[in-house]
Amino acid sequence: MDSSQLLKGVLDLAVLAVLDGRDSYGYDVVRRLREAGLDDVGDASVYGTLRRLFKAGALTSYVVASDEGPHRKYYGLNDVGRSLLSDSARTWTSFAATMDGLLKEVGAG
Amino acid sequence: MDSSQLLKGVLDLAVLAVLDGRDSYGYDVVRRLREAGLDDVGDASVYGTLRRLFKAGALTSYVVASDEGPHRKYYGLNDVGRSLLSDSARTWTSFAATMDGLLKEVGAG
DNA sequence: TGCAGCTATTGCGCATTGCACAGTACTGTG
DNA sequence: CACAGTACTGTGCAATGCGCAATAGCTGCA
């Protein structure tokens, strides 16, 4: 099954959720999302999402040097990002409930 | 909130679910999805989805005359559609669980 | 020195898909 | 006839996830 379309509009939320509580950088966000179960999320998608959220004013950003490789561009939630996160989470929860309702009747009709 | 992006990749599933157990036509599918809670699903999206699913071989189709207006193009699930429905439902359920897992930690860090 | 491999980011172009909008057409009511 | 409700089609756009290539720093090995 190709679940890539399911990510549409939800990747923002997933990234915001991962960033909540602790700043992180692209490569690490990808890793954490995959560990969380989003197995085949593409790296370019995550980097794109981070840039988009930053451009939208939801994230702060700063560069940190690393001993283990090139510099890392850290991102963190600001007030806009936190409020976006809680709004999106609410929207997702209600949407998921609606879908579950639709699916509940499957095979019962 | 704009939930239109959330529909991406899920509208197929929603349409298949509505069609499960009883054949229906575009205009009616729109009505049933809206009643189910997908308030602002666009009619063109549903018609497009029906055509796409039909073209993919998941639906049967036949035209029925109506007393209350123009003809209705009915769609129904065939074997391919039913198996697509159960596969998609499984994929959705597991995806939703993953997202819930990600969101559970929000605000707890 | 040179090469491989992991880490880390950017940019380009494509495919999918939901939607707005316009157009067509049938039925019934005033 | 005008208008509203029903019902479908087609066009073109916008959003966004992804593959792929390029760039670049670091470690370890020969």
Side-chain angles (χ1 to χ4, degrees), chain A residues 13-46:
Chain A
L13 173 57
V15 166
L16 289 170
V18 161
L19 251 32
D20 187 55
R22 139 163 151 240
D23 290 5
S24 189
Y25 55 97
Y27 199 84
D28 187 51
V29 171
V30 172
R31 208 156 30 198
R32 285 162 73 185
L33 288 177
R34 290 191 177 147
E35 274 163 18
L38 264 25
D39 299 325
D40 32 49
V41 63
D43 57 338
S45 312
V46 172

Side-chain angles (χ1 to χ4, degrees), chain B residues 34-107:
Chain B
R34 289 192 179 146
E35 275 163 18
L38 265 23
D39 297 327
D40 33 47
V41 62
D43 57 339
S45 312
V46 173
Y47 284 115
T49 298
L50 286 169
R51 272 177 269 170
R52 198 153 23 81
L53 288 173
F54 175 71
K55 201 172 156 193
L59 303 180
T60 58
S61 177
Y62 50 98
V63 172
V64 175
S66 162
D67 312 356
E68 312 163 35
H71 69 277
R72 295 167 174 169
K73 193 179 252 178
Y74 274 80
Y75 291 95
L77 298 184
N78 58 21
D79 286 345
V80 174
R82 268 182 293 274
S83 110
L84 183 60
L85 170 56
S86 61
D87 281 359
S88 301
R90 240 192 312 278
T91 301
W92 160 260
T93 302
S94 127
F95 179 81
T98 297
M99 284 304 299
D100 286 345
L102 262 173
L103 290 180
K104 198 177 49 191
E105 299 163 27
V106 167

Side-chain angles (χ1 to χ4, degrees), chain A residues 12-13 15-17 19-20 50 52-60 76-90, chain B residues 1:
Chain A
D12 282 27
L13 173 57
V15 166
L16 289 170
L19 251 32
D20 187 55
L50 286 169
R52 196 153 23 82
L53 288 172
F54 175 72
K55 200 172 159 195
L59 302 180
T60 58
L77 297 186
N78 59 19
D79 286 347
V80 174
R82 269 182 292 275
S83 109
L84 184 58
L85 171 57
S86 60
D87 281 359
S88 302
R90 241 192 310 280
Chain B
M1 284 281 92

Side-chain angles (χ1 to χ4, degrees), chain B residues 3-43:
Chain B
S3 64
S4 80
Q5 290 300 320
L6 288 180
L7 267 183
K8 295 261 177 183
V10 184
L11 187 53
D12 281 29
L13 172 56
V15 166
L16 289 170
V18 161
L19 251 33
D20 186 57
R22 140 164 151 240
D23 290 6
S24 187
Y25 55 98
Y27 198 84
D28 187 51
V29 171
V30 172
R31 210 156 28 199
R32 286 163 72 184
L33 288 177
R34 289 192 179 146
E35 275 163 18
L38 265 23
D39 297 327
D40 33 47
V41 62
D43 57 339

Side-chain angles (χ1 to χ4, degrees), chain A residues 5 8 25-27 31 44 47 51 70-73:
Chain A
Q5 290 299 320
K8 296 260 175 183
Y25 55 97
Y27 199 84
R31 208 156 30 198
Y47 284 114
R51 273 177 268 168
H71 69 278
R72 297 166 173 170
K73 194 180 250 176

